[in-house]
Amino acid sequence: MHDTTLLHLIEDDIAPTQELLDLLQSEAVALHGRDMALLETILARKQSLIVLLEQHGRRRAQLLAELGLPADRDGVQALAAQSSQGEVLMQRLDVLSGLLDACQQVNESNGRIIQVQQHITSNQVRILMGGESPSLYDSRGGTSPMARRRALSQV
């Protein structure tokens, strides 16, 4: 009975995890295009999916703990070894694990995109405000010093 419950919990997570992966991939496109309206929509849906997946994960961990098994892959394998549905259980767990790994990779990539954009924006603001000048050359080939620092409203 516990094996069937665990299988249903895993099955119930596959569709939301696939949706999360799709959202993360859409987020990458929106980040490149700096589409803030789309990013807000994606973030709201992402948050609700993450909450749902966390709840399901806690229920799976609780179920395994009630059986005295660790709340990880080894615990599922131990339960699967005693179950007639063990092979299906492990196959579906592999599908879910693959989706979660893909989500993590895309999320890390999105994080790098955000860091690059923050760096670019920071440099642009610094230049606009008259901070340290980049290596700009004047007509004589010398580096041109930037004028005094300015407020962003005066640029």
Side-chain angles (χ1 to χ4, degrees):
M1 178 163 154
H2 292 291
D3 56 343
T4 304
T5 304
L6 185 60
L7 180 59
H8 287 298
L9 289 172
I10 292 171
E11 288 283 345
D12 290 346
D13 276 351
I14 290 175
T17 305
Q18 180 63 57
E19 184 179 351
L20 180 61
L21 178 58
D22 295 342
L23 281 172
L24 288 167
Q25 291 167 340
S26 297
E27 181 180 49
V29 173
L31 284 169
H32 281 292
R34 295 187 180 207
D35 186 344
M36 293 303 154
L38 180 57
L39 284 170
E40 287 178 15
T41 303
I42 289 171
L43 178 62
R45 183 63 187 143
K46 241 177 42 172
Q47 287 175 331
S48 66
L49 286 171
I50 289 169
V51 168
L52 175 70
L53 292 169
E54 285 176 345
Q55 289 171 348
H56 289 184
R58 281 192 297 272
R59 288 202 317 242
R60 283 193 309 270
Q62 181 182 8
L63 178 68
L64 289 167
E66 288 172 3
L67 296 171
L69 297 171
D72 58 9
R73 183 175 186 84
D74 292 338
V76 177
Q77 283 178 326
L79 180 61
Q82 303 168 2
S83 170
S84 62
Q85 297 182 358
E87 188 175 326
V88 173
L89 185 61
M90 292 309 297
Q91 288 172 351
R92 299 313 284 168
L93 181 64
D94 288 342
V95 169
L96 181 59
S97 295
L99 286 170
L100 289 171
D101 288 344
C103 285
Q104 183 176 3
Q105 289 173 359
V106 175
N107 193 50
E108 288 171 0
S109 174
N110 288 352
R112 287 188 296 274
I113 292 168
I114 291 169
Q115 287 177 338
V116 166
Q117 288 182 351
Q118 285 175 335
H119 181 72
I120 289 169
T121 301
S122 172
N123 283 341
Q124 290 170 340
V125 168
R126 188 173 39 82
I127 290 168
L128 286 173
M129 294 187 67
E132 292 180 35
S133 63
S135 300
L136 299 177
Y137 295 95
D138 61 17
S139 61
R140 293 184 209 129
T143 57
S144 61
M146 295 290 283
R148 61 182 168 72
R149 292 186 61 85
R150 300 169 288 193
L152 193 55
S153 62
Q154 296 174 347
V155 175

